[in-house]
Amino acid sequence: MFTICRKPRLLIRPLERILPSPRHHALITSAGLRYTPIRTQTTTTPLPPHQFPTSGFTTLDPSETLEEEQLPYYEPKHFYPVRLGEVFASRYQVVAKLGYGTSSTVWLCRDLLTHGYRTLKVCAQGHDPAHEVAVSEHLRNTPDHAGKALVRLVLKSFVIAGPHGQHRCLVYKACGMNMTKYMNGCTLPTELGQRSLQLTLIALSFLHAHQTVHTDVSPNNILQKIDDSSVLAALEEDEMTQPIARKVLDDRTIYRSRAMPACEGLPVLSDLGEARCGHERYQGDIMPGIYRAPEVIMGMEWDCKVDVWSIGVMAWDFTQDEHLFSGKTHGVLCNEQHLAELVSLMGPPPPEFVKRCSNSSSKCARFFDERGNWKGSIRIPRQSLAQRIQHFQGADKTLFLNFLRRVFRWLPEERPSAEDLAHDEFLMQPILAAREQK
């Protein structure tokens, strides 16, 4: 049985438009899916800005830290003091705070020109997201592809002047919560996990077809597409009738964030801030700790197959109760521990991997001999993929195990492409079952 915290709503709705790509056309139509864009009214009559309440909210203790103030090394003057109701670029009126990070705050805005909603990221002073803007521009100017609609690109970028300097602002389509928050520490129903993985792979096949590697694929960066903007209008209405609690200071107001709703929409791959594009091979440290591919751990060259590796790790997180890898000793990320876990689940690396590693990194000799035998000081855990799988039995377990074994390969070229993996038997299971019922 799956551990499910709520009665899940299927996040995938029928699509109304078929996007080109023969293989994806067959996959999408056989699944009964077509992409439905958010429909907002296009008008030449701008909306007047709403007047937001100036009273009726809970005022929090100024001496207690709140939201972005709790970040390490927080410096108030680096963050632009956004106010609810403020209008940016004569167009985007802030209606709710959605979150914050080390380098930005994120807000829901009403687009006064189109009467729709957008997400606005206001970057901290000194943080320049020019790379994400450039990657988005590169991808926006590509031909239609089935995965293009499943990637959240920067729609608009502009600079504002703050009290202590300039701040770059990025505008995106408004999306629902990410998969980490939706899962809330639980696993996904099988079909929902399979469809989410399959469509994320289609998004990745679009990126890879245009020499772009995401490098940060994880549930944190899989958002829910919003097909019905009334859920966003409800957030705005809540702010008007039940203003959020806040801390009022002399030079700024710190607001509590509002949670984005769980929505019935397609998965959307977001956050291109760490993406790489323009080459076939790269080098450098990338990927979240436990999602790192072996070539990244060893400091070797890497390519788009690191995203495929991430899909395998994410598939595990979607369907099993605990992470596949720990990669830590005493709570600290440890390459040797991570490698020992890889060996326990995949077997030793082939000599070709060791040879490449030895040519590009001094790390290899610490952990492997020339035949791939383990030399590390940490004992190899006694485990296997088959033993670790808890939530599948019989034929379902075999399909999932075969899927993982296709992905978890030491040599990147032995992993399937994102497009090929999207048609794996495990991911096709709901589609084939639906065909049999007809």
Side-chain angles (χ1 to χ4, degrees):
M1 292 185 61
F2 279 86
T3 306
I4 302 173
C5 296
R6 61 179 73 79
K7 183 178 179 181
R9 292 180 295 174
L10 190 64
L11 302 186
I12 299 170
R13 282 187 159 186
L15 302 152
E16 289 191 344
R17 180 167 62 89
I18 298 295
L19 297 175
S21 174
R23 293 193 74 193
H24 294 147
H25 181 285
L27 188 156
I28 292 174
T29 52
S30 63
L33 304 176
R34 282 184 287 178
Y35 170 66
T36 307
I38 297 175
R39 292 176 179 172
T40 54
Q41 180 181 358
T42 302
T43 176
T44 56
T45 307
L47 286 172
H50 288 171
Q51 297 299 315
F52 281 77
T54 56
S55 62
F57 47 79
T58 300
T59 303
L60 302 174
D61 185 347
S63 66
E64 294 185 6
T65 57
L66 178 68
E67 302 255 323
E68 57 265 31
E69 294 179 308
Q70 297 172 343
L71 293 169
Y73 313 114
Y74 169 75
E75 179 59 54
K77 68 181 182 181
H78 292 166
F79 285 78
Y80 181 85
V82 180
R83 304 183 313 276
L84 287 176
E86 186 172 359
V87 177
F88 288 80
S90 303
R91 177 173 180 176
Y92 305 105
Q93 184 178 29
V94 176
V95 301
K97 184 179 181 182
L98 299 179
Y100 62 94
T102 56
S103 59
S104 65
T105 53
V106 183
W107 307 80
L108 178 65
C109 293
R110 164 78 80 165
D111 187 334
L112 300 177
L113 296 186
T114 67
H115 300 192
Y117 289 92
R118 292 288 183 256
T119 296
L120 178 73
K121 178 189 287 188
V122 182
C123 297
Q125 186 180 345
H127 176 69
D128 184 5
H131 177 72
E132 182 179 2
V133 174
V135 173
S136 289
E137 189 66 23
H138 164 69
L139 293 172
R140 185 181 298 108
N141 293 326
T142 58
D144 276 346
H145 182 287
K148 191 171 185 177
L150 303 174
V151 178
R152 187 161 84 153
L153 305 177
V154 176
L155 301 178
K156 188 177 179 65
S157 170
F158 55 88
V159 175
I160 58 171
H164 303 285
Q166 293 187 326
H167 301 262
R168 174 71 63 176
C169 297
L170 306 181
V171 179
Y172 306 87
K173 286 184 178 179
C175 290
M177 65 174 60
N178 66 35
M179 279 302 219
T180 300
K181 291 181 179 177
Y182 180 80
M183 292 166 66
N184 194 28
C186 305
T187 55
L188 290 177
T190 307
E191 183 175 344
L192 177 55
Q194 290 167 319
R195 297 291 181 86
S196 298
L197 290 166
Q198 191 171 58
L199 292 171
T200 302
L201 281 164
I202 294 174
L204 287 173
S205 73
F206 160 64
L207 265 60
H208 297 171
H210 298 288
Q211 288 192 314
T212 302
V213 187
H214 189 281
T215 80
D216 196 10
V217 179
S218 76
N220 289 337
N221 289 327
I222 308 298
L223 307 181
Q224 299 170 350
K225 183 179 176 294
I226 296 178
D227 292 319
D228 183 358
S229 62
S230 66
V231 298
L232 302 175
L235 280 180
E236 181 179 9
E237 181 63 24
D238 284 347
E239 190 58 56
M240 299 295 288
T241 58
Q242 300 176 352
I244 200 75
R246 63 202 67 180
K247 190 169 84 169
V248 180
L249 305 174
D250 291 339
D251 64 338
R252 68 190 57 235
T253 299
I254 308 293
Y255 301 90
R256 286 197 190 278
S257 298
R258 288 187 179 271
M260 288 296 281
C263 305
E264 299 178 358
L266 301 175
V268 177
L269 181 60
S270 70
D271 195 350
L272 296 169
E274 297 299 322
R276 305 290 192 274
C277 70
H279 302 282
E280 290 188 0
R281 303 194 65 80
Y282 305 85
Q283 202 152 13
D285 192 27
I286 54 164
M287 310 177 78
I290 60 172
Y291 274 66
R292 291 179 300 161
E295 59 268 31
V296 174
I297 297 173
M298 299 303 289
M300 302 162 64
E301 282 191 337
W302 48 265
D303 59 16
C304 66
K305 294 297 182 69
V306 296
D307 287 341
V308 174
W309 178 277
S310 293
I311 287 289
V313 184
M314 189 165 71
W316 186 276
D317 285 348
F318 278 177
T319 59
Q320 306 298 310
D321 289 334
E322 60 184 4
H323 292 306
L324 181 58
F325 302 111
S326 162
K328 295 180 180 179
T329 55
H330 308 295
V332 179
L333 204 63
C334 174
N335 288 340
E336 185 173 4
Q337 176 63 38
H338 202 158
L339 288 168
E341 294 171 16
L342 291 179
V343 173
S344 72
L345 297 174
M346 299 164 55
E352 177 60 27
F353 179 89
V354 176
K355 179 181 177 181
R356 293 181 195 175
C357 181
S358 300
N359 290 338
S360 61
S361 171
S362 60
K363 295 179 182 179
C364 194
R366 290 176 51 199
F367 305 122
F368 303 105
D369 67 18
E370 61 183 13
R371 294 185 178 181
N373 296 311
W374 179 247
K375 292 172 53 181
S377 61
I378 293 176
R379 180 175 295 182
I380 302 297
R382 296 176 64 87
Q383 62 176 351
S384 69
L385 277 175
Q387 291 170 341
R388 291 283 304 275
I389 296 172
Q390 299 296 318
H391 290 311
F392 292 113
Q393 302 296 328
D396 291 342
K397 181 174 181 177
T398 300
L399 285 176
F400 186 53
L401 191 56
N402 290 341
F403 171 84
L404 295 177
R405 285 173 173 163
R406 291 184 69 193
V407 172
F408 295 139
R409 310 286 296 184
W410 289 97
L411 296 174
E413 65 268 25
E414 292 183 356
R415 299 169 208 155
S417 67
E419 181 169 354
D420 285 341
L421 192 61
H423 295 79
D424 185 85
E425 283 187 85
F426 172 67
L427 300 185
M428 292 294 291
Q429 202 176 19
I431 298 172
L432 298 176
R435 285 178 182 172
E436 290 176 0
Q437 292 175 0
K438 291 182 179 179

